[in-house]
């Protein structure tokens, strides 16, 4: 845990065959792989905060209601918002069935999609100021996705979720005091 993180170890163990009563060999390499993959969220957060500070974009809790994919214009925004809603549904469905490993299975693929598809393909929207409305929507969408992700992973990675939620200005004392979305 000192080398990688308690969240990485917890995430790996909750995904492991241990939860089905099967054998499991814990290896440092596996914990390191999980830590590296979970680290993508911090890359997205750093990208967001760096550009938001440069442009002076600030989170408005009054506009923090659920983003509906039908309310946004950019196809990438629609896609990533629908992906985070899909993640919510998949986790909820499996958690309702007490199937923790399957509840966790879509988390890392979602991180990969959000980081490697949404952020990478949207970079120019954050750089250019040709369309300030599109830039503001890009900030709002990325903030929404990061905040929603923090809430969704809170049962699995409590420390990561809490830090991310507090850094994004979640508004409540703790992400762990929120109702499940």
């Amino acid at each position: 845990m000192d080398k990688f993180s308690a969240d990485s170890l917890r995430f790996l163990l909750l995904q492991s065959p241990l939860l089905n009563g099967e054998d499991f060999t814990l290896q440092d390499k596996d914990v390191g792989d999980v830590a590296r993959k979970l680290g993508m969220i911090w890359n997205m957060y750093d990208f967001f905060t760096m550009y938001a500070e440069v442009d002076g974009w600030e989170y408005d809790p009054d506009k923090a209601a659920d983003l509906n994919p039908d309310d946004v214009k950019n196809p990438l925004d629609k896609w990533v918002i629908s992906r985070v809603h899909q993640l919510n549904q998949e986790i909820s469905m499996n958690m309702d069935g007490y199937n923790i490993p399957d509840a966790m299975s879509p988390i890392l693929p979602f991180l990969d999609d959000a980081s490697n598809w949404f952020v990478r393909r949207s970079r120019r929207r954050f750089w250019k100021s040709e369309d300030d409305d599109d830039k503001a929507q890009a900030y709002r969408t990325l903030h929404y996705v990061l905040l929603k992700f923090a809430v969704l992973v809170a049962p699995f990675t409590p420390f990561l979720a809490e830090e991310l939620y507090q850094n994004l200005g979640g508004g409540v004392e703790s992400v762990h005091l929120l109702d499940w979305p």
Side-chain angles (χ1 to χ4, degrees), residues 109-178:
F110 171 80
L111 265 180
D112 187 51
D113 284 350
S115 177
N116 291 325
W117 287 101
F118 178 72
V119 172
R120 188 173 288 174
R121 302 284 181 235
S122 296
R123 283 186 183 178
R124 288 199 168 128
R125 296 172 63 203
F126 293 94
W127 295 340
K128 293 183 179 181
S129 60
E130 294 171 2
D131 186 353
D132 289 338
D133 289 338
D134 185 51
K135 186 183 238 187
Q137 184 62 53
Y139 282 124
R140 185 169 176 224
T141 299
L142 185 52
H143 185 272
Y144 174 79
V145 167
L146 291 169
L147 202 59
K148 190 80 160 178
F149 183 79
V151 174
L152 293 174
V153 298
F156 314 114
T157 58
F159 303 111
L160 179 147
E162 183 66 28
E163 185 176 350
L164 184 61
Y165 186 79
Q166 293 301 324
N167 290 351
L168 290 168
V172 178
E173 288 180 42
S174 172
V175 69
H176 303 292
L177 296 176
L178 297 175

Side-chain angles (χ1 to χ4, degrees), residues 11-85:
F11 194 92
L12 179 66
L13 291 176
L14 288 173
Q15 275 191 310
S16 74
L18 285 173
L19 269 67
N20 295 324
E22 298 173 16
D23 292 336
F24 177 71
T25 303
L26 180 63
Q27 297 180 0
D28 283 354
K29 179 193 172 299
D30 295 335
V31 180
D33 288 345
V34 169
R36 183 181 50 76
K37 290 175 184 174
L38 288 175
M40 286 191 292
I41 194 67
W42 294 117
N43 294 340
M44 290 171 43
Y45 172 78
D46 290 342
F47 175 84
F48 170 77
T49 56
M50 179 176 63
Y51 286 102
E53 285 178 18
V54 166
D55 288 333
W57 187 89
E58 290 189 23
Y59 170 62
D60 182 1
D62 296 332
K63 294 181 180 178
D66 279 349
L67 278 177
N68 185 335
D70 297 330
D71 296 340
V72 296
K73 296 175 186 171
N74 189 291
L76 278 172
D77 291 348
K78 289 182 181 197
W79 174 76
V80 78
I81 292 167
S82 66
R83 280 289 285 126
V84 80
H85 290 179

